[in-house]
Amino acid sequence: MSCFPSRDPMKPSLKTVTLRNLINFLLLLTAVILVVLGVRFRQISVQIMEDKALAIAEVVKGGLTAHMKGGIMDKRDYFLNEINSLRLVRNVKIIRSKEVNAQFGEGHDLEDHMDDITRQVFEGKKPLYVINDLRLHPNMRAVVPFIASSKGGLNCLHCHKVKEGTVLGALSLEMDLTGYRNITLALLLVVGGIAVIFIALIISNNIRTIQHYVQAPLEELIKKGEEAYYKSMPIDISRFECIEFENVAKEFNMFADDVLEHQHVIEEKSKKLEELTSEIEDAHRETIYT
């Protein structure tokens, strides 16, 4: 009967454990990369849309100022409708301050009333962006304030009888984020597909590596170890490519030599014991005969 224990079929092999841990790690790494890329591209898309909203606000501000100086403010709806027809832009509205209404009267159809969001913009004097990306067609509402200033090329105080820094109004518009979300999803799919291909290549390479450098040498070591033990044949260490298995084979040869040396000693002692037993039996027989 072999002194080497048989393999428990219920326990996983070294290759199974290694590949399972490797797959879990690679899947976790891929998920983290996709989440980071998704968040980053969302931030980039939002930043692009915010910059675009600010640029449109500057255009509207300059256009309204030109209408005012040209005395054609009654035709400003046509200008706002043209802005409203821009790609990815809709629901362009102008919210006028009470100071402007007091000086020039109530606004037109495209000049909306103040709500909670525009009220925050009037109080904070900073742009506010509200993103709704959990819809089928995600969008971003941007509200950009128009602040009276005597600096620069557009001297607001020349026409408006307000103090420096007064919020004259705000531009409210909605921008469609569907295109940017689709681009982000497509990019994530491409990255995910590339990651799956690399995972498959890594797993295939690791299977071959484990099979060639670990599993096969280990099985060879076990087989040769049994031969070394039962047939007194030392293991040929040149058969192993890895230094670790070569060292194990050397240690096994040294162990086998020690075992064989002690076995020889035991055999000699057993032989002497048999001779002594035989002498005792002969002496016993002679005694009985005498």
Side-chain angles (χ1 to χ4, degrees), residues 260-277:
L260 290 175
E261 183 178 351
H262 285 83
Q263 189 173 0
H264 290 319
V265 172
I266 292 173
E267 289 176 355
E268 290 178 0
K269 296 293 184 180
S270 297
K271 198 172 188 181
K272 290 181 180 180
L273 182 60
E274 289 177 358
E275 292 175 355
L276 182 60
T277 302

Side-chain angles (χ1 to χ4, degrees), residues 15 206-217 219:
K15 180 168 67 175
N206 276 271
I207 290 175
R208 289 196 300 268
T209 302
I210 294 173
Q211 178 69 31
H212 183 74
Y213 291 101
V214 178
Q215 186 174 2
E219 293 174 351

Side-chain angles (χ1 to χ4, degrees), residues 31-260:
V32 171
I33 291 175
L34 291 178
V35 170
V36 171
L37 287 176
V39 171
R40 185 54 184 160
F41 279 110
R42 179 184 181 277
Q43 293 174 345
I44 293 174
S45 301
V46 170
Q47 185 63 51
I48 292 174
M49 299 304 280
E50 289 179 359
D51 293 341
K52 186 173 182 178
L54 291 176
I56 293 174
E58 289 297 320
V59 171
V60 171
K61 182 179 179 181
L64 293 178
T65 302
H67 279 68
M68 180 175 290
K69 290 183 177 181
I72 54 173
M73 281 298 288
D74 56 333
K75 295 181 173 57
R76 61 186 181 276
D77 285 355
Y78 174 79
F79 170 68
L80 294 176
N81 281 323
E82 289 298 316
I83 297 295
N84 212 9
S85 65
L86 291 175
R87 182 175 175 270
L88 304 180
V89 177
R90 59 176 180 264
N91 294 333
V92 176
K93 300 285 186 180
I94 299 294
I95 297 90
R96 292 154 59 103
S97 67
K98 58 182 180 180
E99 290 85 358
V100 173
N101 286 335
Q103 183 178 355
F104 298 101
E106 295 294 330
H108 292 178
D109 293 338
L110 294 179
E111 295 170 343
D112 204 359
H113 296 287
M114 191 177 299
D115 57 10
D116 291 337
I117 296 176
T118 53
R119 189 172 291 107
Q120 295 179 38
V121 173
F122 272 78
E123 293 174 356
K125 299 182 179 181
K126 293 181 180 179
L128 184 61
Y129 307 97
V130 180
I131 301 174
N132 299 311
D133 52 1
L134 298 180
R135 301 178 177 178
L136 181 61
H137 298 289
N139 62 64
M140 179 184 72
R141 183 186 176 189
V143 182
V144 183
F146 295 146
I147 300 175
S149 174
S150 59
K151 300 176 182 179
L154 301 177
N155 188 352
C156 302
L157 301 184
H158 180 74
C159 300
H160 296 278
K161 297 178 182 179
V162 295
K163 296 180 180 179
E164 179 82 19
T166 301
V167 179
L168 300 174
L171 173 68
S172 174
L173 58 92
E174 293 182 7
M175 309 189 74
D176 188 9
L177 299 177
T178 305
Y180 289 96
R181 185 182 66 178
N182 293 340
I183 292 175
T184 302
L185 291 177
L187 183 60
L188 291 179
L189 288 176
V190 172
V191 173
I194 295 174
V196 169
I197 293 175
F198 272 98
I199 289 175
L201 293 176
I202 292 173
I203 292 174
S204 176
N205 180 69
N206 276 271
I207 290 175
R208 289 196 300 268
T209 302
I210 294 173
Q211 178 69 31
H212 183 74
Y213 291 101
V214 178
Q215 186 174 2
L218 187 59
E219 293 174 351
E220 179 76 9
L221 182 62
I222 294 173
K223 178 181 177 181
K224 295 299 180 182
E226 291 181 345
E227 293 180 356
Y229 182 80
Y230 291 110
K231 298 181 181 180
S232 300
M233 297 173 55
I235 300 175
D236 184 8
I237 61 175
S238 64
R239 298 174 63 90
F240 303 100
E241 299 183 33
C242 297
I243 188 66
E244 290 81 6
F245 282 104
E246 185 176 313
N247 291 335
V248 172
K250 289 180 181 179
E251 294 292 333
F252 198 95
N253 284 338
M254 294 173 61
F255 172 76
D257 291 340
D258 290 341
V259 171
L260 290 175

